[in-house]
Amino acid sequence: MKKSERKSSTMRSRARKVARKRVVCSSKRRRICSKSCSKSKEVISKKLAALKSLIPGNNVRNGSNGIVKVEQLFQETADYIIVLKTQAVLLQKLIEFYDHGDEGSNNEMQHQIVQQHQS
């Protein structure tokens, strides 16, 4: 075997060793990533379940595999927020309507409270 052939053979074996190390490292990274990804999925699932529990009526249905349909959950949440805002405005208008005839200092205090909640 010539000197150049031995050199190239040695270089190839070193290259193989480095390649094996890379494969081992990348597989470790994959395992670590999959563990952290599964933890992230668990956290997200818990948060979605908590959000779902806040919406009255539970109109959001689970998919075929039991997973909450995220888009539908967000839409229901947005709709519920709009309903709550509408109720707040309506209650403020009712307070103004019924307190309009009352000219006492109590009326002034109630208006201040309503204005604080608006901001």
Side-chain angles (χ1 to χ4, degrees):
M1 198 182 261
K2 293 182 181 178
K3 194 175 189 182
S4 63
E5 289 177 7
R6 276 186 272 157
K7 197 174 192 181
S8 64
S9 172
T10 305
M11 289 175 67
R12 275 187 254 139
S13 66
R14 284 184 188 163
R16 281 189 220 126
K17 286 179 184 178
V18 170
R20 280 190 214 125
K21 284 183 181 179
R22 285 184 187 153
V23 169
V24 170
C25 289
S26 66
S27 65
K28 284 181 184 177
R29 282 188 205 124
R30 277 190 222 126
R31 277 184 270 152
I32 291 169
C33 180
S34 66
K35 287 179 185 177
S36 65
C37 291
S38 64
K39 287 181 183 179
S40 297
K41 288 178 183 178
E42 283 180 30
V43 170
I44 291 170
S45 295
K46 287 180 182 179
K47 289 183 178 186
L48 289 174
L51 180 61
K52 183 179 177 184
S53 70
L54 293 174
I55 300 172
N58 290 324
N59 294 332
V60 181
R61 303 281 185 246
N62 290 343
S64 59
N65 56 0
I67 297 174
V68 174
K69 294 179 181 177
V70 178
E71 296 84 12
Q72 187 179 359
L73 178 61
F74 289 157
Q75 184 61 50
E76 289 288 327
T77 304
D79 293 344
Y80 185 56
I81 291 170
I82 291 170
V83 167
L84 291 175
K85 281 182 141 181
T86 305
Q87 287 177 350
V89 169
L90 179 64
L91 289 172
Q92 288 172 351
K93 297 294 180 186
L94 285 172
I95 289 171
E96 289 174 9
F97 177 77
Y98 285 111
D99 283 346
H100 189 66
D102 188 17
E103 296 297 328
S105 62
N106 192 23
N107 187 21
E108 181 69 31
M109 215 165 25
Q110 288 175 348
H111 283 289
Q112 288 175 354
I113 292 170
V114 169
Q115 288 175 349
Q116 287 174 353
H117 287 290
Q118 286 178 344
S119 57

